């Protein structure tokens, strides 16, 4: 008893954030490693590869909010990354090129504004119908990006993005054209989004989402307005995807409709499954695995999708909980056999 | 006589051309255990489903505290004080026993939108969760994942969940199904106890339980009410005996 009382004040900060001390120490170590990486990596190519992993990790994490916590399958979550990217890009090109922050805010808010009516329709369904609606809406957005040439540049994509300075409280930090600067900027946004999402998922709201995932009918029979909370989960996931999209276009200086395609959407889904859903951090490992594998395989063969597909099949069969499920697997085996 | 909590007026529910619930008039009174019995397919579960909002009514009305709630959303009915368990156990399998009840209490007491707080920070929610789990006897299993509980404990957990919303009327759909005799005794004691605080509507096949703890019984047959009365009146009712396979195995008679 006295032990517990003594331990309580020290762990208070971790309790407030949710998750254990080990988890936050790991996070801090990862952030430090990621922060020094651009100064160690041999060339720009690898910096950009890790940058891409961070952006897609953020997207995959946002999909995990839906898939792993609310129990909703979105086939084309990348469509909302695309919306954020196009909105940010168009705003900078046509309206105000000066501020990276305002452009990101516009990208995120626009994505959520589009996601709201879509979500309103989608949450009236569940299961397979919900998943099919995400596919239908995603394909509509993809087609708009692809065919509305005058606005989006169609197949050619959105080009001529200005490169404003990265500023903080009016202080110029670096140019967004600098790949190390945009890398560190991505890391900072990613950290903010991760801590925020972690906090929300481990709050009373996250408990409601988990209840819906576990048993939608029982959730409504304890008085939860299931549609309303599904919509909240959806909006959270789409807002984060829009933020990821805003960084994506700043990082690439360009976006095309391809980023919104169904094939890409399947890739994001694989990242979540590879890493382990319902963990928030698993999807980052999944994104790293997927993007590194894609990079290695595609330098070796044009048909890299076949091999990624095979690896995913093996993982689904033998590691159904993804990489995040490995420790539990190991514990069980050593506990049972030793 | 205690006050009336809920009534149904000519409540009906059709599946295709079949009337599973046919013009049922029910009066649910406070602080009583009222049982709905009848042979398989009599429409007992369908009746509960329509009253609690799981199924829409095809005709008639459900009045709760004199308000027409026939087409209210499920979560509204729960907030108003109508709670239930299911014939097939419906709990949050992947969550701990504690969290199963805690989320139900949270939904009732509020705080679900406090996104910057930790879950355990809702003090009154914790207190109530603890009280409910102690009452049903599951407090010592609070940490256990619900899917690892024994079947009987899962049934009891569902009762605990349904108590979180401070119901005025509680519908229990075969709570003792699949339970051992010892578990059945415990759960019927709990139900009888709940019946002193709220209106309890019990659907149960175990006639021993029904006859022991019910104040009032309604007999359904082919969707319609064929008899209502005290356990003793029902046990000696010829029409009820006929409804149950011609009366030969109408066991309750011998027990009363």
């Amino acid at each position: 008893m006295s032990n517990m009382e003594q331990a309580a004040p020290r762990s208070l900060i971790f309790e407030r954030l949710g998750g254990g001390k080990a988890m936050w120490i790991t996070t801090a170590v990862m952030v430090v490693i990621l922060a020094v990486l651009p100064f160690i990596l041999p060339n720009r190519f690898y910096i950009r590869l890790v940058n891409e992993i961070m952006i897609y990790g953020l997207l995959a994490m946002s999909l995990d909010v839906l898939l792993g916590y609310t129990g909703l399958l979105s086939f084309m979550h990348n469509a909302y990354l695309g919306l954020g990217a196009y909105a940010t890009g168009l705003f900078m090109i046509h309206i105000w090129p000066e501020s990276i922050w305002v452009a990101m805010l516009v990208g995120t808010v626009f994505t959520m504004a589009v996601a709201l009516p879509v979500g309103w329709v989608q949450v009236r369904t569940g299961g397979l119908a919900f998943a099919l609606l995400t596919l239908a809406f995603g394909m509509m957005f993809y087609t708009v990006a692809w065919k509305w040439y005058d606005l989006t540049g169609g197949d050619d994509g959105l080009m001529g993005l200005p490169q404003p300075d990265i500023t903080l409280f009016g202080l110029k930090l670096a140019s967004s054209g600098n790949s190390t600067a945009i890398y560190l900027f991505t890391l900072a946004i990613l950290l903010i989004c991760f801590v925020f999402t972690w906090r929300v998922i481990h709050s009373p709201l996250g408990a409601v989402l988990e209840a819906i995932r576990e048993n939608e009918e029982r959730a409504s029979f304890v008085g939860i307005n299931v549609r309303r909370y599904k919509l909240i989960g959806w909006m959270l996931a789409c807002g984060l995807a829009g933020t990821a999209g805003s960084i994506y276009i700043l990082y690439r200086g360009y976006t095309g409709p391809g980023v919104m395609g169904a094939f890409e959407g399947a890739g994001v889904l694989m990242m979540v499954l590879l890493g382990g859903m319902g963990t928030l951090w698993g999807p980052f490992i999944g994104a790293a695995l997927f993007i590194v594998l894609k990079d290695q395989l595609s330098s070796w063969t044009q048909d890299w999708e076949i091999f990624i597909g095979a690896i995913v099949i093996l993982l689904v069969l033998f590691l159904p909980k993804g990489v995040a499920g490995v420790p539990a697997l190991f514990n069980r085996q050593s506990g049972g056999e030793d | 006589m205690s006050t009336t909590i809920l009534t149904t007026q000519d409540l009906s529910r059709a599946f295709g051309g079949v009337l599973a619930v046919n013009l049922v008039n029910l009066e649910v009174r406070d602080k009583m255990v009222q049982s709905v019995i009848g042979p398989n397919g009599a429409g007992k579960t369908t009746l509960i489903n329509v009253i609690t909002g799981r199924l829409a009514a095809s005709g008639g009305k459900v009045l709760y505290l004199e308000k027409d709630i026939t087409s209210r959303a499920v979560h509204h009915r729960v907030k108003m004080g109508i709670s239930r368990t299911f014939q097939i156990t419906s709990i949050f399998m992947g969550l701990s026993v504690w969290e199963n009840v805690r989320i139900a209490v949270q939904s009732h007491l509020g705080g679900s939108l406090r996104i910057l707080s930790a879950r355990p920070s809702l003090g009154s929610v914790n207190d109530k969760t603890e009280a409910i789990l102690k009452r049903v006897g599951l407090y010592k299993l609070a940490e256990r994942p619900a899917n690892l509980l024994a079947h009987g404990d899962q049934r009891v957990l569902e009762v605990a969940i349904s108590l979180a919303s401070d119901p005025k009327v509680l519908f229990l759909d075969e709570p003792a199904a699949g339970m051992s005799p010892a578990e059945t005794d415990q759960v019927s004691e709990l139900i009888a106890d709940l019946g002193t605080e709220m209106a309890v509507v019990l659907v149960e096949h175990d006639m021993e339980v029904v006859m022991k703890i019910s104040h009032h019984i309604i007999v359904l047959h082919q969707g319609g009410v064929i008899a209502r009365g005290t356990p003793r009146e029902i046990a000696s009712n010829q029409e009820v005996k006929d409804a149950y396979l011609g009366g030969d195995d109408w066991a309750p008679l011998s027990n009363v």
Side-chain angles (χ1 to χ4, degrees), chain A residues 15 21-22 39 73 82 85 97-98 109 125 127 136 138 156 159 163 168 173 201 210 222 225 238 298 301 316-317 324:
Chain A
E15 270 172 28
K21 197 186 277 188
F39 306 103
L73 175 56
E98 305 291 325
V109 170
T125 67
D156 300 333
M159 287 183 291
Q163 294 185 334
L168 193 62
L173 298 180
I201 283 301
E210 283 182 353
V222 299
N225 183 344
C238 288
S298 60
T301 163
V316 166
L317 288 178

Side-chain angles (χ1 to χ4, degrees), chain B residues 139-152:
Chain B
Y139 186 65
K140 58 189 180 303
L141 298 174
E143 302 290 314
R144 192 166 295 185
N147 58 354
L148 297 183
L149 287 184
H151 170 79

Side-chain angles (χ1 to χ4, degrees), chain B residues 84-155:
Chain B
R84 72 169 291 177
T85 66
F86 291 84
Q87 197 173 4
I88 295 164
T89 311
S90 180
I91 56 180
F92 304 113
M93 283 290 181
L95 307 180
S96 69
V97 168
W98 175 266
E99 187 60 18
N100 263 270
V101 177
R102 202 203 61 80
I103 184 62
V105 175
Q106 178 191 308
S107 166
H108 177 58
L109 294 182
S112 292
L113 289 173
R114 289 175 50 183
I115 58 170
L116 296 181
S117 312
R119 288 179 202 183
S121 71
L122 302 173
S124 55
V125 172
N126 296 338
D127 295 345
K128 192 172 166 69
T129 304
E130 189 178 325
I132 291 174
L133 282 175
K134 280 181 172 160
R135 171 169 197 180
V136 302
L138 286 177
Y139 186 65
K140 58 189 180 303
L141 298 174
E143 302 290 314
R144 192 166 295 185
N147 58 354
L148 297 183
L149 287 184
H151 170 79
D153 287 338
Q154 289 182 343
R155 302 292 289 170

Side-chain angles (χ1 to χ4, degrees), chain A residues 264-301:
Chain A
E264 292 271 324
V268 182
L269 212 47
M270 284 181 192
M271 290 174 193
V272 180
L273 296 176
L274 280 176
M277 63 177 183
T279 59
L280 289 188
W281 52 267
F284 287 97
I285 296 175
L289 269 175
F290 189 92
I291 289 169
V292 169
L293 273 173
K294 175 181 161 183
D295 172 63
Q296 293 298 309
L297 291 169
S298 60
S299 66
W300 173 62
T301 163

